[in-house]
Amino acid sequence: MEISAKTEYAVRAMLQLSDAAQGTLVTTENLATAQGLPRKFLESILAELRRAGLVMSTQGPRGGYCLARPASEIAVGDVFRAVDGPLAEVRGRRPQDTTYDGVAHHLPVLWVAVRSSLRHVLDGTSLAQLRSGDLPASVQELADIHDAWDNR
């Protein structure tokens, strides 16, 4: 699985917003500077996050962005879907909608299992947990597997 720059930037921006007091507006410029993100790209990402109902915005000289609800109520998976769509697709189709003949007949089961594992990690981790580092035990256990950090 490759995580796009768009998704990475969106998660970083949401974490930065979660660091502000609830309802405090943060400008695009401050978000971009704090995380070292390209401002124009960040503006389009924030627009997608707003359309998905994850952030609210106010225009004007005192405008900016804030989380639409508490960071503890926003899953990392919500951010992924807001900017990149479904967590797992196979050539543009949902895993359960794939079919194969012959020896590949059981492949949809594997695709669905991959999506399920992504959901477990991304939907089971809130922005608040990610920001604090107090990750769910099941997520920490996966990261602690002896070769989890090794390239293959």
Side-chain angles (χ1 to χ4, degrees), residues 53-74:
L54 298 178
V55 300
M56 296 184 303
S57 65
T58 301
Q59 295 184 358
R62 296 190 186 271
Y65 291 86
C66 66
L67 296 180
R69 55 186 190 268
S72 61
E73 296 177 14
I74 300 174

Side-chain angles (χ1 to χ4, degrees), residues 60-116:
R62 296 190 186 271
Y65 291 86
C66 66
L67 296 180
R69 55 186 190 268
S72 61
E73 296 177 14
I74 300 174
V76 176
D78 296 334
V79 180
F80 270 64
R81 287 182 193 90
V83 297
D84 262 349
L87 293 179
E89 288 186 326
V90 180
R91 295 186 300 129
R93 294 184 298 167
R94 301 293 177 112
Q96 71 273 16
D97 295 335
T98 60
T99 57
Y100 304 93
D101 295 324
V103 295
H105 176 75
H106 300 287
L107 198 48
V109 176
L110 183 69
W111 299 152
V112 169
V114 168
R115 180 182 61 191
S116 180

Side-chain angles (χ1 to χ4, degrees), residues 29-43:
E29 187 61 42
N30 286 345
L31 283 172
T33 300
Q35 286 297 312
L37 304 176
R39 186 171 187 264
K40 282 294 187 193
F41 193 23
L42 181 58
E43 287 174 355

